[in-house]
Amino acid sequence: MNMIHIQPTVHAQSASWAQPIEMLFACHGRVKNFCRQLGMLPDYLAKNGINQAVKNDVKQIITYFNVAAPLHHEDEETDFFPALLRYVPQAKADILKLEAEHVGIHKIWAQLGVQLQELIDEKRTGIEQNLLDDYRAAYARHIALEEPLFELGQKHIPAEQLTAMGKIMAERRKIRK
């Protein structure tokens, strides 16, 4: 049995690369769900120990934050943020803060990801709570600052530019496979 069932968000149910901002929102939905699972992990381990179900869930989390999350950040930094700045230059301070947060989130993940892999490999029985809390809090703050910018992008970036952006983002994933 899984720690928690991941329910697709509204954005995830309808998102496609033809609507790249919806895909960015959908990615945040997955991040929120995986962070919720991470928050449940210590109690689950205390009650059930390391079993195949937890290993399966943790493998999914590791894969997501090793592969999809960095691609998502690259989408933002390479494609979305520059486009948004063209139409909403007053977003620059928030964008600079978000880019710095990406670096911080990746640093925390570098430590947390190792601990999660060690958990799967049964080299440890738990995760450092402060590291887990820091990671979840960093993403919560990050998403709260970033999603209003997604909404600005939906309002101000022309549809043809969004379409082109979506094609670039989709291609990025084909290249990385």
Side-chain angles (χ1 to χ4, degrees):
M1 172 149 295
N2 290 350
M3 291 185 295
I4 183 172
H5 248 307
I6 297 177
Q7 297 297 322
T9 61
V10 172
H11 294 287
Q13 293 170 354
S14 62
S16 76
W17 289 113
Q19 299 154 342
I21 294 175
E22 286 297 317
M23 289 297 281
L24 294 174
F25 272 117
C27 185
H28 281 186
R30 288 186 286 281
V31 168
K32 290 173 189 175
N33 284 326
F34 284 130
C35 282
R36 190 172 337 171
Q37 278 187 294
L38 286 170
M40 297 172 65
L41 184 60
D43 287 342
Y44 184 90
L45 289 172
K47 291 176 187 166
N48 303 291
I50 301 167
N51 57 38
Q52 194 57 50
V54 80
K55 286 181 181 183
N56 292 342
D57 286 350
V58 170
K59 283 178 188 175
Q60 286 182 334
I61 292 168
I62 289 171
T63 299
Y64 187 82
F65 287 116
N66 279 343
V67 178
L71 285 169
H72 171 83
H73 293 165
E74 187 177 349
D75 291 339
E76 292 168 343
E77 292 177 6
T78 304
D79 303 305
F80 176 71
F81 292 160
L84 182 63
L85 280 174
R86 264 183 247 132
Y87 300 98
V88 188
Q90 62 271 29
K92 185 171 185 162
D94 286 342
I95 289 171
L96 291 174
K97 182 175 181 174
L98 290 165
E99 289 174 339
E101 287 179 357
H102 286 165
V103 173
I105 287 168
H106 289 284
K107 282 182 183 178
I108 299 169
W109 175 252
Q111 297 171 56
L112 182 58
V114 168
Q115 289 189 18
L116 291 169
Q117 186 60 53
E118 289 173 349
L119 187 73
I120 291 171
D121 297 339
E122 297 186 27
K123 294 179 181 175
R124 68 169 41 241
T125 58
I127 302 296
E128 289 178 37
Q129 187 68 49
N130 64 331
L131 192 59
L132 198 58
D133 292 344
D134 288 350
Y135 191 68
R136 294 177 66 228
Y139 253 123
R141 284 189 307 272
H142 185 75
I143 288 171
L145 179 60
E146 198 165 60
E147 287 189 346
L149 296 185
F150 293 170
E151 292 169 8
L152 284 174
Q154 286 175 318
K155 285 184 188 175
H156 297 287
I157 300 172
E160 61 275 2
Q161 190 169 354
L162 289 172
T163 299
M165 185 186 307
K167 289 177 183 175
I168 291 167
M169 291 175 177
E171 190 62 31
R172 181 173 291 124
R173 280 145 182 83
K174 291 177 188 171
I175 293 169
R176 300 284 164 83
K177 283 188 176 180

